[in-house]
């Protein structure tokens, strides 16, 4: 069973609220992109930067937190001499124990896409598990954060959110699947 939680928050606010937790737990943030010409390609993101806009890139596919540092060369993930492959992904055996997969976070003037966070491995690295738990604990203590929303006829208790006037979408590509407050 997957270990996951979701949060509805603009990505810039997500990073600004949690950059101390990211720094304290010594994890790296990577953006994943996909296009027909390059295929999958990656970028290391500095969570302390005031100009975090990777999620608005047309090729944006998702992001990863990793407790294992990974070198990026020409957009490719490289593990150095320990890897037999020139290109790897965060789902490869050498990395998935150290990673949290993230999807979503896009925003426009009317809508906000949920950020979905999932531990990839059934036996994650202790450092990435500690970071994952710290994220949730920080959100639980953050003023203005609520939990639990309806998505269609299902109550999702594993969603954190800040109240917003925007449409809270499960996916920008499926604008009809919206989260709503429980009456």
């Amino acid at each position: 069973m997957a270990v996951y939680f979701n949060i509805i928050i603009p990505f810039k606010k997500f990073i600004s609220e949690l950059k101390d937790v990211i720094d304290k737990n010594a994890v790296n943030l990577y953006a994943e992109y996909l296009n027909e010409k390059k295929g999958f390609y990656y970028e290391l993101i500095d969570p302390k930067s005031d100009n975090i806009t990777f999620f608005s890139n047309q090729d944006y596919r998702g992001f990863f937190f990793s407790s294992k540092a990974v070198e990026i060369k020409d957009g490719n993930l490289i593990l150095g001499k320990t890897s037999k492959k020139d290109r790897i992904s965060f789902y490869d055996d050498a990395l998935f124990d150290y990673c949290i997969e993230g999807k979503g976070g896009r925003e426009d003037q009317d809508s906000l896409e949920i950020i979905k966070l999932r531990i990839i491995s059934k036996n994650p690295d202790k450092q990435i598990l500690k970071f994952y738990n710290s994220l949730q604990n920080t959100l639980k203590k953050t003023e203005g954060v609520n939990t639990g929303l309806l998505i269609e006829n299902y109550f999702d208790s594993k969603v954190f959110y800040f109240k917003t006037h925007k449409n809270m979408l499960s996916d920008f590509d499926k604008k009809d699947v919206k989260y709503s407050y429980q009456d």
Side-chain angles (χ1 to χ4, degrees):
M1 186 169 155
V3 178
Y4 74 94
F5 76 94
N6 302 318
I7 180 167
I8 299 176
I9 184 174
F11 201 89
K12 285 183 180 182
K13 184 172 177 104
F14 172 72
I15 291 298
S16 72
E17 291 283 335
L18 300 170
K19 64 181 154 191
D20 291 340
V21 176
I22 293 167
D23 192 42
K24 180 181 176 188
N25 287 279
V27 296
N28 297 296
L29 173 60
Y30 300 89
E32 179 181 61
Y33 306 99
L34 174 64
N35 72 27
E36 289 181 25
K37 192 183 272 187
K38 293 182 180 179
F40 286 100
Y41 62 102
Y42 300 89
E43 175 185 15
L44 178 63
I45 305 297
D46 180 3
K48 294 178 184 174
S49 172
D50 290 331
N51 192 22
I52 295 180
T53 59
F54 69 88
F55 52 88
S56 60
N57 182 316
Q58 184 176 346
D59 293 347
Y60 168 72
R61 185 170 181 277
F63 60 94
F64 293 87
F65 289 109
S66 177
S67 60
K68 188 174 205 175
V70 182
E71 181 184 343
I72 297 177
K73 184 175 182 180
D74 299 324
N76 298 318
L77 300 176
I78 310 291
L79 263 182
K81 296 175 183 157
T82 61
S83 177
K84 293 181 174 141
K85 296 191 240 178
D86 290 337
R87 284 178 67 140
I88 60 169
S89 85
F90 287 105
Y91 301 103
D92 284 350
D93 290 346
L95 279 180
F96 77 99
D97 286 340
Y98 304 92
C99 296
I100 295 171
E101 172 192 52
K103 301 281 185 192
R106 295 175 286 185
E107 177 181 24
D108 63 22
Q109 68 184 37
D110 300 319
S111 302
L112 184 58
E113 183 180 43
I114 192 167
I115 294 172
K116 300 172 184 173
L117 297 171
R118 175 179 77 99
I119 292 181
I120 299 172
S121 175
K122 289 183 182 178
N123 300 305
D125 170 62
K126 288 179 185 178
Q127 185 178 352
I128 202 70
L129 185 59
K130 181 181 173 197
F131 170 67
Y132 187 81
N133 291 329
S134 293
L135 284 176
Q136 289 187 61
N137 289 333
T138 300
L139 288 168
K140 288 175 186 175
K141 296 174 187 173
T142 301
E143 190 173 326
V145 173
N146 301 292
T147 58
L149 289 170
L150 288 171
I151 181 163
E152 295 182 333
N153 63 351
Y154 169 74
F155 184 73
D156 185 351
S157 61
K158 290 187 174 186
V159 64
F160 294 89
Y161 67 95
F162 285 88
K163 289 199 176 191
T164 180
H165 66 281
K166 294 185 176 192
N167 294 320
M168 298 178 287
L169 303 177
S170 174
D171 188 323
F172 256 39
D173 300 327
K174 300 174 188 172
K175 293 216 182 236
D176 57 331
V177 183
K178 298 178 183 176
Y179 279 84
S180 59
Y181 304 110
Q182 188 173 21
D183 296 330

